[in-house]
Amino acid sequence: MGYGLSMRATTNVLFSALADPTRRALFERLCRDGEQTVRALTGGAGVSQPAVSKHLGVLKQAGLVLDRREGRQTHYSAQPQGLAPLVDWMSLYGAFRRERFDRLEALLNRMDQ
């Protein structure tokens, strides 16, 4: 399974977006509670509305949220499928880890004989 430059760049953007605890909390809240306005998200974020808007911009750029304008308000919704590159990245290392454990198990079985 290849892990090309494009996939690394996408994964880096996702890791960077989710590295901030406020962004993670906003994303988790949208996943849990569904679509919300910036104003509603600001209420529980513990940071200013401009800061929430900036964080949402980073999440949008990473493909983790979508925005929808309705009049003067912007509504945001989570896009959990945006996590797919991270899941793929983790599966690479899961396969590697399983292979290593299989080798260790084979070695231990040979040593027992």
Side-chain angles (χ1 to χ4, degrees):
M1 185 182 318
Y3 190 67
L5 183 59
S6 175
M7 181 68 148
R8 278 194 299 271
T10 301
T11 305
N12 287 344
V13 169
L14 287 168
F15 273 126
S16 179
L18 294 171
D20 184 276
T22 301
R23 284 194 288 270
R24 278 195 314 274
L26 289 168
F27 180 69
E28 290 169 5
R29 195 164 152 199
L30 288 168
C31 286
R32 183 184 62 242
D33 300 337
E35 183 179 87
Q36 295 184 52
T37 64
V38 173
R39 184 176 183 178
L41 289 166
T42 300
V47 294
S48 68
Q49 184 276 321
V52 167
S53 292
K54 270 187 161 180
H55 286 303
L56 289 167
V58 172
L59 291 169
K60 181 180 174 184
Q61 186 176 16
L64 295 171
V65 299
L66 284 179
D67 62 348
R68 176 180 66 80
R69 297 281 302 172
E70 187 176 291
R72 294 173 54 164
Q73 293 188 337
T74 303
H75 299 256
Y76 283 86
S77 59
Q79 298 299 298
Q81 66 271 23
L83 294 172
L86 289 182
V87 172
D88 292 344
W89 180 84
M90 290 172 30
S91 71
L92 286 172
Y93 291 95
F96 172 74
R97 193 175 58 247
R98 281 188 300 280
E99 179 183 320
R100 298 286 298 247
F101 283 128
D102 289 346
R103 281 196 226 157
L104 177 61
E105 182 179 31
L107 174 64
L108 293 173
N109 285 338
R110 283 196 310 268
M111 291 173 66
D112 283 345
Q113 295 175 5

